Amino acid sequence: MPPDKATVAQVLRDISLLLQMKGESVFRSRAYDTAADRIVGLGEDLGALVREGRLQELPGIGQATADKVSELVTTGKLAYFESLKAEFPPGVLELVRVPDLGPKKALALARQLGVDGVDALEKACREGRVRQLSGFGEKSETKLLDGIALYRRTVNTRRLLGEALPVAERILESVKAAPGVIRASLGGSVRRRAETIGDVDLIASAPDAGAVFDAFTRSPEVAQVIGRGESKCSVRLHERDLQVDLRVLPDEDFATALHHFTGSKGHHVRLRGLAQERGLKISEWGVHDANGQKQSVPDEAALYRLLGMQYIPPELREDTGEIEAALAGKLPEDLITLEDIQGAVHAHSTWSDGKNSLEEMARAAQALGLKYLTVTEHSQAAIYAGGLKEDDLRRQWDEIDRVNETVRGVRLLKGIEVDILESGALDYSDGILERLEVVIGSIHVRHSMDEEQMTRRLLQAFDNPHLHILGHPTGRLLQSREPYPVRMEAVLDKAAERGVVVEVNGKPERLDLKTEHVRQALQRGVKLVVSADAHKVADLGNLAFAVATARRGWARKGDILNTLPAEGFVETLRTRRAS
Ligand code: DGT
Ligand code: CA
Ligand code: CA
Ligand code: ZN
């Protein structure tokens, strides 16, 4: 998709900032700001203006700027901007987003302290390193910290799915209870189960939107009403500063509105094109034929039927091939669901760095209707996480046996999350590993190896027949740590060849494998587990996020090993070892 107006305007504003850092004349930098304003305020389609070469007709946009905008819109990139950025330290454009931090000061901080972003700047302030620079003092540190707090609230407002979804579901329940509400659903990215959520979208049908908004805005959860119109009301919640957009329509418009506000935009653009070929027009207002006659669309399935295609579940609506597959009738109909999951994989207890005892974990799993839980504490190298020595593990087995006696209907499986050491060797002897029912191998330290070394480390680990499952395969932490570099194709190729199972870790900051990697794994026939990576009872809920990620990667029930009963699960892992 070509960049939208807001993105183009942002690039122009960034160019202005970089020119100011460079010490260029204010006239040059201001010209870019003016152009950005023009583009944001444009009534017309930017793409059309570019195609027709009419950009420079706009007041305030000269030939040079017009050329840059054209390049950006047509290619999605701007060489001038990239080379300008390369003249400055990384992260400097993030620093200037902090309120009250101008381009010159941001540059000084980046150059002299090496801070490469807001996190690093916060650390420098707290350690009193900013005051050591000329032009800054103790007061500047306090002011910067205030600015950073504000920045976090206003600029970087995306939340992890795991943070936003429970809140969204709670608010949805209260909307369902509002006067006159007939149907209500989550929409937007939270319904598609995206990794991070900008704002929560809710769609409801009721005869009187005003009455629903009255009830909605009076909720004690609401901190501030941002806006309220005929059919839309936006609020900010106390919890996590989340914005919620609620739309309320007559019930006959519910399905098409729900579909529209579920997105994604990319998916919609494609559908609209398809509709046009069939003489239909899809919009926020419903589906109309060539005569402007509104079509009856009782639910989303009916909408996809009108277009001659299979129903596409929300998690798949990202324009990554789902439309072609649905037209050909080749979309999987048995995508994995949470109900298919029989056992929770990857759980820690107080034996290592978990918060709950084995018995508490077992009872919690039982309460969720799970049939088994793999107990996989950390191994000895993970000292920081209370890793177990081989002797500790033997003592733990006695407790597992005891819990399995007392807690009925759920079985704790004996396992380990063993560290994959720098050499690719596992952190326990074969003698103890072969006595375990479930061996997850994970990388926890030395993330800084280069791509070749890291790839070799993982491939080496796969040669150990005792390894069953590769845990959180890229080590990423959303919004705080990049994945380590690794050639994922090579890793998945070898996992397929050696029958190594790969984890889809459901911890909200991990979601690792991520969606794209799930699809790559499945294309190779690699089997997966969805895991909770539970460190406390409540974390068993992470299974839902792992399932969502697997669905977004088109995983079916048969692809996921922990849809099997305990015996089948353990038996399948045992076969890997034997072959
Ligand atoms: P987010 O909130 O950034 O995590 O992502 P979304 O997908 O929830 O985006 P949001 O809240 O801006 O809008 C919700 C849905 O509404 C979006 O997925 C598609 C639809 N929508 C919103 N604005 C537009 C638009 O300008 N064009 C089209 N085609 N659809 C839109
Ligand atoms: Ca949204
Ligand atoms: Ca929204
Ligand atoms: Zn781990």
Side-chain angles (χ1 to χ4, degrees), residues 407-425:
V407 186
R408 291 284 149 191
V410 67
R411 192 173 136 199
L412 297 182
L413 300 179
K414 292 171 187 161
I416 195 73
E417 181 182 14
V418 65
D419 262 63
I420 298 174
L421 305 174
E422 218 172 310
S423 63

Side-chain angles (χ1 to χ4, degrees), residues 432-451:
I432 193 126
L433 289 177
E434 72 188 4
R435 296 182 58 191
L436 288 162
E437 295 172 293
V438 185
V439 176
I440 302 177
S442 303
I443 285 179
H444 288 117
V445 291
R446 289 280 288 137
H447 280 216
S448 57
M449 293 166 89
D450 70 26
E451 188 177 68

Side-chain angles (χ1 to χ4, degrees), residues 313-391:
E315 296 95 326
L316 270 53
R317 298 181 195 166
E318 300 289 353
D319 190 24
T320 53
E322 76 281 8
I323 292 175
E324 292 74 6
L327 281 169
K330 288 188 174 148
L331 210 59
E333 305 238 347
D334 52 350
L335 287 181
I336 182 76
T337 67
L338 189 56
E339 290 69 38
D340 294 329
I341 304 303
Q342 300 239 21
V345 173
H346 199 155
H348 302 268
S349 77
T350 44
W351 279 86
S352 63
D353 61 347
K355 299 271 182 295
N356 291 98
S357 69
L358 284 174
E359 180 167 343
E360 287 165 339
M361 294 301 286
R363 291 200 187 278
Q366 180 199 43
L368 290 173
L370 293 166
K371 298 286 183 272
Y372 55 99
L373 179 71
T374 78
V375 178
T376 47
E377 313 284 5
H378 291 286
S379 63
Q380 53 199 1
I383 298 167
Y384 58 92
L388 273 59
K389 297 258 186 276
E390 295 191 2
D391 279 346

Side-chain angles (χ1 to χ4, degrees), residues 187-190 197-201 245:
S189 51
V190 74
I197 307 299
D199 65 10
V200 170
D201 298 280
D245 291 346

